[in-house]
Amino acid sequence: MLNSQGIKGPPYRFIHGNNREIAKMRQEASSKPMALTHDIFPKVQPHIYSWINKYGRNYLYWNGVRAELVISEPELVKEILKNSEKTFPKRKPTIYLSKLLGNGLVTVEGEKWAKQRKLANYVFHGESLKNMTPAVIASVETMLQKWKGQEGKEIEVFNEFRLLTSEVISRTAFGSSYLEGEKVFAMLNKLSIIMSRNLYNTRIPLINKLWKPADMLESEELAKEIQDCVMKIVKKREDKVVNGEADSFGNDFLGLLVNAYHDSDKNNKLSMEDLVDECKTFYFAGQDTVNALLAWTVLLLAIHGDWQDKARREVIGIFGNQNPQPEGIAKLKTMTMIINETLRLYSSSNGMLRRVGRDVQMEKVVLPANIDLLIANAVLHHDPQLWGEDVHLFKPDRFAEGIAKATNYNAAAFLPFGLGPRTCVGMTFATTETKIALSMILQRYAITLSPAYVHSPIPVISLQPQHGIQIKMSALVKLAILLPCSLFLVALIKFLYDYLWIPLRLQHMMNSQGIKGPPYAFIYGNNKEATKTTNEALSKPMALRHDIFPRVQPHVYSCINRYGRNYLAWDGKRPELVITEPELVNEVLKHSVTTFPKRKPTFFLTGIFGNGLVTALGEKWVKQRKLANYAFHGESLKNMTPAVIASVETMLEKWKGYVGKEIEVYHEFRLLTSEVISRTAFGSSYLEGEKIFDMLNKLSIIRSRNFFETRIPLINKFWKSGDVLESEELSKGIQDCVMKIVKKREDKVVNGEVDSFGNDFLGLLVNAYHDSDENNRLSTEDLVDECKTFYFAGQDTVNSLIAWIVFLLAIHGDWQEKARREVIEIFGNQIPNSEEMSKLKIMTMIIYETLRLYGPSNGMMRRTESDVQLGKLILPANLDLLVIHSAPHHDPQLWGDDVHLFKPERFAEGIAKATNYNAGVFCPFGLGPRNCVGTNFATMETKIVLSMILQRYTIYLSPTYVHSPIPYITVQPQHGIQVILESLHNDA
């Protein structure tokens, strides 16, 4: 069947398939060493090398009676690994692999895999990796202490790194030491050797059921002993809790497993077999992969002294003679290039196995169900068509601009840790551990290859040096004893590297992809130009028109016209990719929050929101969002309606004395929205939170005037500006006020006045603050930050929105009349009710058009977590992304030549039709998983306020109004909005 589709291969042989031929070729290849070249593919996988050359990049061979399609064509590899696991699931492991890894994360499928992957993700996420760093450093220090007497002598590093990586995985994942797990490591190593020598042994039917070979008996015995050892380690962890020595099973990997083992929920509970299998998997994979990677990297650095020197200079420039720390590890660009090139030439994985879950068409080939697939990594990594004629040379500079550029944007050309949903969970852990170990070695030693080294890579589970890797080390002069001027030189080099070399290199990289922008200026970036342009634009009012983009964001407006819709700018030394192209906006905002997370907030923005919902990341954000969703879901909004109406009635009662007179509504709506958020979310009044609102307003003004201020290194550490001191004082004042309100709520429960803390937002926060479960409990800081966020965002956004709508209706009397007719038709002279609110179609159109012209948010900040492709662009890690709303909202190509006119009828058939089904064109409240949680609350409040005003008054713009929109956190009227009210009723 496959031959007829052009897939050839060695012919099937009865029972044994091609296993005997393969075993013979492998034995011949491993029986003799090779020359010291990096062209290792013909040696480590001679059968694949031979048959690819004979039958083509994809061919069929026979593992006994099982058909196995070897695939090395990048497009097919990508299709398999990125596809659904139901279409191409993992192959059922062989009997020996089952003994080695059991039904752990590497081999398991379906829901079981999802559950186990979730555990592993939790252990190896960013914050956990930071917490593991001290244990990795301590383990490396122990190894280096032992090396002290070995200077000038030969040392075999593959075995040294085996002990090191065993110690690291023991400490970080299992909270123990290598000695405690020594027997487990030894037995897993024996199992891997047994598996390797039986890889191409054919299991003959019936005979294998009646007679077990010695390797099978030994592997069963080893598997049983490993289970006993693991359960002893588990028992020890359990005993500590039982005896009161510990409060919990711990937060490391073993602790999470033991928690799951004891879980009362059957769906989450781990069986003993699952627990043991996960331990086996992480003991083996956590040690074996990093061991091989470290050893091969050291071999390559020992051969290529120029790259060893480059790596050492980088390490010393970043860390000096101090131990590595997480922030610096991310800056090791040269070392990252070296690691990537090592993974290409000496990839730990020899291939990935899948099978066809059901009959499927892949490109032009139809594959039957249950055929095995082998993805041959080594073929792709050593292919001159993908990497060039120098494919077998060690050239880390291939990766100078990241993996995507090195592979010409072909993801399947380089996949040392896999690809798609089942990418290795420990990838970041492995590279971090490697970087720490290499940094600490390079700080102390120069490495040369020993003449005794014999080059003979062999595939076991990972790729290993058959006879070890022998090197010699020379101790370096320690930085600590250098003259002070040398230390100054190191600091100067680091400073120039951070503030000159990196920005210029990144600017060149983005320019080469067609992304231009204003050139980087030393230290200040483009901040001085942006400040000057903004000050000029805001120094005078504008004509009464709605083309506000050149005024509120003049620097962005100017750069878009000069450099294009997406351009690179510099906030000090931080690169900022400004994005206004709707397709890219859509991709950034709708993408996973781990791919494009929020940017770390600036110092002054932290003063306003702290680490609340607007700025929080990861699991903290999930927890806080869950609380907010509950507080602002549909039923809760209904319950808030009376409080909103009561607040509006209070304001309108006061307005009765202003009929025919001028009234400044922006200030009026500030008091109103403050009262509404106080009543609905905090069960209090504006007066109780007045000081908080006042201090938050001051903080927003401070943040606005410091928006383009450059924080200069060192100076900011030793000297605080007046604004910094004031913002710190204000933050402290807000915390005190919030905690007084919380105390008042707590006292009511303590004194028996109420049964609970309440169901409003504050009540939910105080409940979480007192939660007995540490995972759900909010700290004092979290509670205060959430209150700050909702006090500010719940007031400021709606304040601006209502003010600008009233301004627009005052100018456009025809739309004011249409809105009033609709309100009276639906509500008459009765107060609005939540059931009828959805019928306000004209008002909805007016709100949308106001959000387009005077949208509260000027943009959203994101960043790249790692190298990532966005559209056709390849973006490096730690690049800030600024998604600008004003540009697409005011773009004539998207909205037509009447883009600057107030025309609510654009939205007559909804947002999708108005934007031509392009979500990135109009997203005033964000888009995707992090869209504003208060969207429905804001629009509901706005509709109630406008309905009640329109039932009573006709609004005219006062002649004293000066049109001067200004960007703070939201777009605000610099001099307020003055209107004149005319009563519709005699009793007004």
Side-chain angles (χ1 to χ4, degrees):
M1 175 191 170
L2 286 167
N3 285 175
S4 68
Q5 298 183 73
I7 301 290
K8 309 296 182 186
Y12 169 72
R13 312 246 179 230
F14 185 58
I15 296 180
H16 292 280
N18 307 122
N19 283 349
R20 286 181 171 174
E21 301 161 71
I22 294 170
K24 184 182 176 186
M25 282 192 264
R26 280 166 56 96
Q27 192 174 356
E28 284 176 2
S30 62
S31 64
K32 49 188 183 292
M34 62 181 286
L36 194 54
T37 73
H38 309 312
D39 182 11
I40 65 169
F41 178 35
K43 178 177 172 66
V44 296
Q45 291 181 311
H47 52 298
I48 297 178
Y49 177 78
S50 171
W51 287 334
I52 276 181
N53 286 330
K54 190 172 183 180
Y55 301 114
R57 296 184 73 128
N58 311 310
Y59 70 88
L60 183 73
Y61 88 98
W62 296 89
N63 184 355
V65 296
R66 286 201 65 81
E68 197 163 278
L69 181 63
V70 175
I71 294 174
S72 64
E73 201 170 303
E75 282 66 35
L76 299 187
V77 169
K78 198 187 304 177
E79 190 175 338
I80 292 165
L81 295 182
K82 286 198 169 181
N83 216 314
S84 158
E85 61 178 64
K86 290 181 181 175
T87 310
F88 300 113
K90 286 256 181 177
R91 193 183 88 171
K92 187 181 176 183
T94 63
I95 192 158
Y96 290 105
L97 187 61
S98 290
K99 300 297 178 192
L100 180 65
L101 301 177
N103 206 10
L105 188 62
V106 170
T107 54
V108 75
E109 289 289 346
E111 288 182 17
K112 200 169 185 179
W113 173 80
K115 181 169 69 173
Q116 293 171 351
R117 176 77 180 211
K118 190 177 176 183
L119 278 175
N121 282 343
Y122 183 80
V123 174
F124 293 106
H125 71 79
E127 201 55 39
S128 294
L129 289 177
K130 273 189 185 178
N131 296 336
M132 292 177 184
T133 303
V136 178
I137 289 169
S139 302
V140 179
E141 282 178 331
T142 303
M143 177 187 75
L144 294 172
Q145 192 64 30
K146 191 176 76 172
W147 284 12
K148 276 189 175 176
Q150 304 295 317
E151 287 97 335
K153 298 176 185 176
E154 184 179 274
I155 186 168
E156 200 285 281
V157 289
F158 183 74
N159 185 56
E160 291 290 309
F161 294 146
R162 183 175 67 78
L163 299 175
L164 168 67
T165 51
S166 301
E167 177 73 16
V168 167
I169 199 68
S170 298
R171 284 191 183 201
T172 54
F174 296 94
S176 62
S177 68
Y178 165 65
L179 291 173
E180 189 172 17
E182 187 175 10
K183 275 187 75 175
V184 177
F185 287 116
M187 289 186 286
L188 285 170
N189 191 48
K190 283 180 184 176
L191 275 174
S192 73
I193 293 166
I194 291 171
M195 181 202 157
S196 181
R197 69 174 173 243
N198 283 278
L199 197 59
Y200 294 102
N201 272 6
T202 309
R203 290 177 59 76
I204 299 173
L206 295 178
I207 293 176
N208 287 103
K209 291 187 177 180
L210 303 172
W211 173 81
K212 290 183 179 179
D215 277 350
M216 178 58 63
L217 293 170
E218 186 181 359
S219 67
E220 288 176 351
E221 185 64 31
L222 287 167
K224 175 70 174 63
E225 285 186 55
I226 290 170
Q227 178 167 315
D228 293 341
C229 286
V230 167
M231 291 314 294
K232 277 181 189 173
I233 293 168
V234 170
K235 180 75 166 55
K236 190 175 175 183
R237 184 70 65 100
E238 290 171 328
D239 287 346
K240 283 187 175 180
V241 175
V242 172
N243 299 333
E245 295 174 48
D247 297 331
S248 70
F249 296 123
N251 291 319
D252 57 4
F253 187 56
L254 180 62
L256 295 176
L257 292 177
V258 179
N259 263 312
Y261 179 50
H262 288 276
D263 202 304
S264 56
D265 184 346
K266 284 185 180 179
N267 295 324
N268 296 327
K269 190 178 179 69
L270 280 185
S271 67
M272 185 178 75
E273 290 74 21
D274 290 340
L275 186 151
V276 171
D277 290 345
E278 283 304 293
C279 287
K280 287 200 294 188
T281 296
F282 276 83
Y283 264 124
F284 184 81
Q287 178 272 319
D288 190 66
T289 308
V290 191
N291 182 9
L293 174 57
L294 261 174
W296 292 118
T297 308
V298 165
L299 168 77
L300 289 163
L301 292 179
I303 298 169
H304 302 280
D306 53 338
W307 280 101
Q308 184 182 155
D309 288 340
K310 286 178 187 176
R312 181 177 293 106
R313 281 198 298 272
E314 178 180 70
V315 167
I316 291 170
I318 293 171
F319 303 123
N321 66 338
Q322 302 301 307
N323 283 332
Q325 32 77 23
E327 292 72 23
I329 290 167
K331 297 176 183 176
L332 292 170
K333 305 301 182 188
T334 301
M335 193 175 288
T336 301
M337 289 153 54
I338 289 166
I339 288 170
N340 284 337
E341 183 71 340
T342 304
L343 287 167
R344 185 184 72 81
L345 292 171
Y346 294 87
S347 182
S348 298
S349 167
N350 297 305
M352 282 172 281
L353 282 163
R354 296 287 186 271
R355 65 183 172 84
V356 182
R358 52 181 168 77
D359 290 3
V360 66
Q361 181 159 352
M362 196 168 65
E363 299 245 326
K364 296 178 181 177
V365 181
V366 177
L367 302 179
N370 293 317
I371 188 172
D372 290 342
L373 305 173
L374 172 61
I375 293 162
N377 300 27
V379 182
L380 296 158
H381 291 184
H382 289 261
D383 188 343
Q385 290 181 39
L386 296 172
W387 297 94
E389 294 305 316
D390 57 1
V391 65
H392 303 309
L393 300 182
F394 177 69
K395 294 184 70 177
D397 42 342
R398 300 177 203 279
F399 294 95
E401 296 180 57
I403 291 170
K405 191 73 183 288
T407 58
N408 201 20
Y409 315 114
N410 188 341
F414 181 70
L415 53 162
F417 292 104
L419 192 67
R422 293 195 65 150
T423 303
C424 174
V425 72
M427 174 174 66
T428 307
F429 173 74
T431 51
T432 300
E433 183 182 346
T434 301
K435 287 177 179 180
I436 290 170
L438 290 174
S439 295
M440 293 174 73
I441 292 167
L442 291 170
Q443 283 172 324
R444 293 160 176 81
Y445 298 108
I447 309 160
T448 53
L449 197 62
S450 168
Y453 172 71
V454 175
H455 195 45
S456 189
I458 58 163
V460 185
I461 301 295
S462 59
L463 185 69
Q464 299 182 6
Q466 188 174 8
H467 310 293
I469 295 176
Q470 295 77 21
I471 63 164
K472 289 186 176 181
M473 300 177 304
S474 308
L476 297 171
V477 178
K478 290 186 179 175
L479 283 177
I481 61 171
L482 292 177
L483 293 172
C485 62
S486 299
L487 291 174
F488 171 75
L489 187 60
V490 168
L492 179 62
I493 290 169
K494 184 182 182 310
F495 174 73
L496 293 174
Y497 183 82
D498 287 345
Y499 281 82
L500 198 59
W501 168 246
I502 290 178
L504 293 176
R505 185 166 61 83
L506 190 136
Q507 188 169 266
H508 174 73
M509 175 192 170
M510 297 305 295
N511 287 349
S512 69
Q513 298 183 71
I515 298 294
K516 308 299 181 186
Y520 170 72
F522 187 53
I523 297 181
Y524 291 95
N526 309 129
N527 284 348
K528 286 185 174 179
E529 305 159 62
T531 302
K532 184 182 175 186
T533 309
T534 303
N535 288 342
E536 284 175 1
L538 299 179
S539 63
K540 48 190 181 295
M542 61 181 287
L544 193 54
R545 61 174 193 269
H546 310 312
D547 180 13
I548 67 168
F549 181 30
R551 175 185 168 81
V552 295
Q553 290 179 305
H555 52 297
V556 178
Y557 177 78
S558 170
C559 287
I560 286 173
N561 287 329
R562 187 171 180 184
Y563 302 111
R565 295 173 78 149
N566 311 307
Y567 68 90
L568 185 70
W570 296 90
D571 180 3
K573 72 181 180 80
R574 284 201 66 83
E576 197 169 84
L577 179 63
V578 177
I579 297 173
T580 67
E581 199 172 307
E583 287 70 28
L584 299 190
V585 169
N586 203 13
E587 194 174 337
V588 170
L589 297 183
K590 282 198 169 180
H591 221 291
S592 157
V593 293
T594 53
T595 307
F596 299 113
K598 287 254 182 177
R599 192 184 92 166
K600 185 181 176 184
T602 60
F603 173 82
F604 291 105
L605 194 62
T606 302
I608 300 171
F609 296 116
N611 202 13
L613 188 62
V614 170
T615 55
L617 294 172
E619 290 181 16
K620 192 169 188 177
W621 174 79
V622 172
K623 182 168 70 173
Q624 293 170 345
R625 177 76 181 213
K626 192 176 176 184
L627 279 174
N629 283 342
Y630 184 80
F632 293 102
H633 69 80
E635 202 55 41
S636 296
L637 289 178
K638 272 189 185 179
N639 297 334
M640 291 176 183
T641 304
V644 178
I645 289 168
S647 301
V648 181
E649 285 178 329
T650 302
M651 178 187 74
L652 293 174
E653 190 63 32
K654 190 178 74 171
W655 281 15
K656 282 184 177 181
Y658 287 91
V659 175
K661 299 175 186 176
E662 183 181 273
I663 187 168
E664 201 284 281
V665 289
Y666 182 76
H667 176 70
E668 291 292 307
F669 295 144
R670 184 172 72 79
L671 298 177
L672 169 67
T673 51
S674 300
E675 178 73 17
V676 167
I677 199 67
S678 297
R679 286 192 181 197
T680 55
F682 297 95
S684 62
S685 67
Y686 166 66
L687 290 175
E688 190 171 18
E690 186 176 10
K691 277 188 73 177
I692 297 173
F693 288 116
D694 183 53
M695 288 186 284
L696 284 168
N697 189 50
K698 285 178 181 174
L699 278 172
S700 74
I701 293 167
I702 291 171
R703 184 255 181 185
S704 179
R705 67 173 172 247
N706 284 275
F707 194 73
F708 295 112
E709 281 295 306
T710 308
R711 289 179 67 80
I712 299 172
L714 295 178
I715 292 175
N716 291 102
K717 288 185 179 181
F718 299 110
W719 175 80
K720 290 181 179 179
S721 67
D723 279 348
V724 169
L725 293 169
E726 186 181 354
S727 66
E728 288 176 348
E729 188 66 31
L730 287 167
S731 293
K732 175 69 173 62
I734 291 169
Q735 177 164 325
D736 293 342
C737 287
V738 167
M739 292 313 293
K740 278 181 188 173
I741 294 171
V742 170
K743 181 76 165 55
K744 190 175 174 182
R745 184 73 63 101
E746 290 170 328
D747 286 347
K748 284 187 176 181
V749 175
V750 172
N751 299 334
E753 295 174 48
V754 291
D755 298 330
S756 70
F757 295 123
N759 292 317
D760 58 4
F761 187 57
L762 180 62
L764 295 175
L765 292 177
V766 180
N767 264 311
Y769 181 53
H770 288 278
D771 202 303
S772 57
D773 184 347
E774 282 188 13
N775 295 324
N776 296 326
R777 191 185 307 151
L778 283 183
S779 66
T780 302
E781 291 73 22
D782 291 341
L783 186 150
V784 171
D785 289 344
E786 283 306 292
C787 288
K788 286 200 295 188
T789 296
F790 278 83
Y791 264 122
F792 185 84
Q795 178 273 318
D796 191 65
T797 308
V798 191
N799 183 9
S800 294
L801 175 56
I802 299 173
W804 289 118
I805 293 175
V806 166
F807 159 73
L808 288 164
L809 293 180
I811 298 172
H812 302 280
D814 52 339
W815 280 100
Q816 184 180 160
E817 276 307 308
K818 287 178 186 176
R820 180 178 293 106
R821 281 198 298 271
E822 179 181 66
V823 168
I824 291 170
E825 184 181 322
I826 293 171
F827 301 124
N829 64 345
Q830 303 299 308
I831 58 174
N833 61 76
S834 51
E835 288 74 22
E836 303 290 320
M837 210 91 70
S838 59
K839 296 179 182 177
L840 292 169
K841 304 297 182 189
I842 290 172
M843 192 176 290
T844 301
M845 290 154 52
I846 289 167
I847 289 170
Y848 288 155
E849 183 70 342
T850 305
L851 287 168
R852 184 183 73 81
L853 292 171
Y854 294 87
S857 168
N858 296 306
M860 282 179 280
M861 295 296 309
R862 296 289 186 268
R863 63 183 174 85
T864 55
E865 182 71 14
S866 55
D867 289 6
V868 66
Q869 183 160 354
L870 177 65
K872 293 179 181 178
L873 300 173
I874 301 303
L875 307 182
N878 295 316
L879 174 68
D880 289 344
L881 307 176
L882 174 57
V883 176
I884 294 289
H885 299 307
S886 305
H889 287 189
H890 290 262
D891 189 340
Q893 291 181 41
L894 299 172
W895 298 94
D897 291 335
D898 58 0
V899 65
H900 302 310
L901 300 182
F902 176 69
K903 295 184 70 177
E905 66 264 31
R906 299 178 204 278
F907 294 96
E909 296 179 62
I911 293 172
K913 193 72 184 290
T915 58
N916 201 20
Y917 307 101
N918 189 339
V921 170
F922 180 71
C923 42
F925 291 107
L927 198 65
R930 291 194 67 148
N931 67 315
C932 176
V933 72
T935 303
N936 292 334
F937 174 74
T939 51
M940 180 269 288
E941 183 182 349
T942 301
K943 286 179 178 180
I944 291 173
V945 175
L946 290 174
S947 295
M948 293 178 72
I949 292 172
L950 290 170
Q951 285 173 322
R952 292 162 174 79
Y953 299 108
T954 302
I955 310 157
Y956 300 98
L957 195 65
S958 169
T960 63
Y961 171 74
V962 176
H963 195 43
S964 193
I966 185 168
Y968 285 116
I969 303 293
T970 55
V971 175
Q972 300 179 10
Q974 189 174 9
H975 308 295
I977 296 176
Q978 295 77 21
V979 301
I980 295 171
L981 304 174
E982 183 180 293
S983 175
L984 296 170
H985 309 288
N986 293 330
D987 61 348

